[in-house]
Amino acid sequence: MAEPGVRVLGRACDVLDCFTEKAPRLGVADIRSRTGLPATTVARIVSTLLREGLLVREGDAYRVGLRVLVWSAPARSGSSLLGVARPFVEQLRDVTGESTGLYVRQGATRVLVEAASSYHSVIYRGYVGQVLPLDAGAAGKCFMAFDEDALGAAVDSGPERYAAAGAREELDRQMEEVRELGWAFTESEREVGLNSVAAPVPGFGGLPEAALAIGGPSIRLDRAQAERVGPIVVATARAIATRMGHIPAGEHADV
């Protein structure tokens, strides 16, 4: 059982995680609904976050305080992944012509931590800090295929989706295909007409450190194009891992 201080910290993180770019301002009722925490617990945590400058009150709503920006610079400069990945993300965007993103896993979700937008007029627009589900989109499928913990987290987060006859068997088939290819391709899983291709960035021990993905409209990024660019995404993801020292130069990763 978690120590009281650890439990409080976890709940404070749950409250802060409620705020997104699409929902930057929330009321107490919204926070209660999104976290499932008791009203007294939410009130206590919100009061503490206000006092520490991590939340700011505007009328009856709250938003994340600017104090969090103090941590963004050291987080980026201290991350070997972000320090290495940026030029590779931009290079993959330039080679494929599609918006490119680097994701890390957080429980049953994936978070966009680096992005380069396509120069086309019709594009996929992601943003750093965007939180997306694991089980929709190629990047999430890469985490699920090569990490049993990620697969379990995704299935546990939406058990009703896999209760239908044949649903789990189809998921297992998809995972096996991703493992065989070394990359994933998904069509309209999150949004109609939006397709994506992704490959894992191997970490120490073979588990994905991150997932590198491109996303674009189905009129450009169809199955035939995915077959062409899939190996390029894999090569770029492994180049990131090699630069980080996860793969010795000239060797292949297990994933």
Side-chain angles (χ1 to χ4, degrees):
M1 183 176 180
E3 294 296 326
V6 175
R7 187 164 60 249
V8 170
L9 179 59
R11 289 175 172 176
C13 290
D14 290 340
V15 169
L16 291 171
D17 284 344
C18 292
F19 296 86
T20 66
E21 186 179 56
K22 293 183 178 179
R25 291 176 176 79
L26 298 171
V28 170
D30 299 317
I31 297 172
R32 286 175 54 195
S33 174
R34 291 175 181 229
T35 61
L37 294 173
T40 54
T41 300
V42 170
R44 184 169 63 252
I45 292 173
V46 166
S47 177
T48 300
L49 294 175
L50 281 170
R51 186 168 61 250
E52 297 300 326
L54 297 177
L55 284 182
V56 173
R57 183 169 185 170
E58 295 182 345
D60 294 329
Y62 300 87
R63 63 173 175 82
V64 176
L66 295 181
R67 182 181 177 184
V68 299
L69 297 178
V70 173
W71 297 319
S72 63
R76 294 189 66 84
S77 62
S79 169
S80 58
L81 175 65
L82 296 186
V84 165
R86 181 65 191 177
F88 291 100
V89 171
E90 292 179 339
Q91 180 185 45
L92 185 61
R93 183 269 315 276
D94 294 341
V95 170
T96 65
E98 301 298 348
S99 296
T100 302
L102 186 72
Y103 296 85
V104 297
R105 182 170 80 91
Q106 182 174 298
T109 64
R110 53 190 169 98
V111 182
L112 184 61
V113 295
E114 193 67 86
S117 295
S118 169
Y119 294 123
H120 289 292
S121 298
V122 179
I123 67 171
Y124 166 62
R125 297 184 184 278
Y127 57 90
V128 172
Q130 185 176 23
V131 180
L132 299 170
L134 280 184
D135 62 352
K141 293 295 173 65
C142 286
F143 286 112
M144 294 168 66
F146 295 105
D147 185 343
E148 285 294 327
D149 288 343
L151 178 61
V155 172
D156 290 346
S157 70
E160 68 284 349
R161 289 196 292 276
Y162 302 105
R168 183 54 197 266
E169 289 77 8
E170 173 58 21
L171 176 64
D172 290 339
R173 185 198 65 77
Q174 292 177 5
M175 297 298 94
E176 184 59 32
E177 179 181 34
V178 174
R179 285 189 285 267
E180 289 179 359
L181 291 173
W183 53 272
F185 172 58
T186 58
E187 300 177 273
S188 299
E189 285 198 347
R190 283 202 314 106
E191 296 180 21
V192 175
L194 173 62
N195 296 350
S196 58
V197 177
V201 176
F204 291 117
L207 295 178
E209 172 91 1
L212 181 66
I214 62 171
S218 57
I219 56 173
R220 288 196 309 266
L221 191 55
D222 57 11
R223 170 65 70 172
Q225 178 66 357
E227 296 284 349
R228 287 190 286 269
V229 301
I232 298 173
V233 179
V234 171
T236 307
R238 290 183 174 178
I240 294 173
T242 300
R243 184 65 62 85
M244 294 178 67
H246 294 171
I247 307 175
E251 292 188 14
H252 296 290
D254 293 333
V255 296

